Amino acid sequence: MTKKHQGGGRSLAPRTSGPVDEPNDTALHDPIALVTRVIAGDDPSVDELVAFRRQPIDLKAAARHAKALQNEEFRLRRSKELGDDQYEFACAGLQIMALSLVALVTTWPADDLDQAEAKLALAERTGALHHRHEKDYVSSMGAPHARRLRWKRAAFAVPELMLPLGPTAPQGDSRGLAAWPLERWDLVAGLPLRGGPPAFAHTQIGNWVGFARAAPDLEHLLARARKMFETCDRLLTLAQRGPENASELMVAAEGARIAGYLAAAQIMIWPVHNRSALALKKEIVTLVNLRGEIGDPFHMQAAIRHVTADAAWIKSLPVDARDDLVFGWSEIV
């Protein structure tokens, strides 16, 4: 298929390898930690925040990895009895990594068409984009599920004005019809089929178990989230006073905001195993509710709600630790 049959308006910005690409070594790394390593500490400079915000993030790679890991967790879970603790933690590691990539895709702004396509494709594959029901269909969706669906749709939302028309329909002289694209970007092209035996995780059980058990310092992440949000608000106030570098301060403020939400996402994704960790998660709920009053972007607020709801089903999470973390202002759309 030639380019004339594809949607126009694609960004011409060069696509370079981003921090979410698989590392050369065999160790498993938290993708959010890899992205935020541009910020040296919890007291970043303006230059560091600007560099963090402007780094090339390959959201298509992140979305594809997230889908591949979700598929592999499904295959691995079906290959062993659920009572096998090693496989439970291996599945948990796959879920944590996948959710971290989802958090990155949903939180990062859509700067170009590639990133917008990544958000839309992952939204479609995670059930955020439901088609209308037939007239004779009676919905049985409860209020909690309806709220989760709103959060998911808002988390993957893309500004409509940046989306050109999708792939055109084939014309009379068109060929290659068997592979004619149905959507802007096919997320699952080339990925192993979802069913069947595991594709790779069964040979890396120890690595995935180790990753699932290596939770980050949640207290430090909470302090980091608070500091980044305070930095964002202060930079915005300074930029509004009209200094010569006001535009640079605005970029740095956005970088601090993104870093704050990614730290919050890490806290909500990693499984709760004790009361103190649950208390930290509840503090994030309060903090994100406050950010809603301040007026942060909807998709960032929704991203935290979405990953929190999905993280409740990570395999290593004890059943009695699955507390309902109730967000205020939940009718976000």
Side-chain angles (χ1 to χ4, degrees), residues 8-72:
R10 187 177 303 276
S11 171
L12 297 179
R15 174 58 59 201
T16 59
S17 297
V20 297
D21 289 341
E22 294 185 8
N24 293 327
D25 58 24
T26 58
L28 299 174
H29 302 279
D30 184 339
I32 294 178
L34 289 177
V35 169
T36 54
R37 67 185 175 184
V38 176
I39 302 175
D42 294 334
D43 187 22
S45 67
V46 171
D47 287 342
E48 287 178 336
L49 289 172
V50 170
F52 167 71
R53 175 62 183 91
R54 289 178 174 169
Q55 65 180 311
I57 300 293
D58 191 346
L59 292 192
K60 283 191 171 180
R64 190 178 292 279
H65 290 333
K67 178 58 177 170
L69 292 168
Q70 290 169 350
N71 291 353
E72 185 68 1

Side-chain angles (χ1 to χ4, degrees), residues 123-277:
E124 177 68 32
R125 297 298 174 177
T126 56
L129 306 179
H130 286 265
H131 299 290
R132 293 181 178 179
H133 297 301
E134 298 293 336
K135 292 182 179 179
D136 59 350
Y137 177 84
V138 177
S139 176
S140 58
M141 185 183 297
H145 183 63
R147 284 195 295 272
R148 286 191 60 186
L149 183 58
R150 292 189 186 100
W151 296 342
K152 184 179 293 189
R153 287 176 175 171
F156 288 101
V158 173
E160 294 182 0
L161 292 179
M162 76 175 299
L163 293 175
L165 295 176
T168 60
Q171 303 301 313
D173 59 347
S174 299
R175 300 187 185 278
L177 304 180
W180 198 272
L182 300 176
E183 48 203 353
R184 290 184 175 87
W185 178 59
D186 188 351
L187 175 65
V188 301
L191 294 182
L193 297 179
R194 186 167 181 259
F200 59 84
H202 63 294
T203 64
Q204 305 169 354
I205 295 296
N207 290 344
W208 285 106
V209 170
F211 175 73
R213 293 183 184 275
D217 185 342
L218 300 187
E219 289 189 14
H220 174 259
L221 287 173
L222 175 61
R224 182 184 179 88
R226 293 187 187 281
K227 187 66 173 290
M228 291 299 102
F229 287 139
E230 291 172 0
T231 300
C232 170
D233 296 341
R234 184 62 60 91
L235 287 173
L236 288 175
T237 300
L238 291 170
Q240 290 169 358
R241 296 182 177 179
E244 293 183 357
N245 65 337
S247 60
E248 185 180 32
L249 293 181
M250 293 290 289
V251 174
E254 189 175 18
R257 181 193 291 126
I258 295 171
Y261 274 97
L262 290 178
Q266 286 179 284
I267 294 173
M268 303 312 268
I269 289 171
W270 284 88
V272 177
H273 293 285
N274 53 59
R275 292 184 179 275
S276 62

Side-chain angles (χ1 to χ4, degrees), residues 218 222 264-273 275-287 308 311 317 321 325 327:
L218 300 187
L222 175 61
Q266 286 179 284
I267 294 173
M268 303 312 268
I269 289 171
W270 284 88
V272 177
H273 293 285
R275 292 184 179 275
S276 62
L278 180 59
L280 291 174
K281 290 178 183 282
K282 290 182 177 179
E283 290 196 49
I284 289 294
V285 171
T286 301
L287 184 58
T308 299
L317 185 64
L325 297 166
F327 286 94

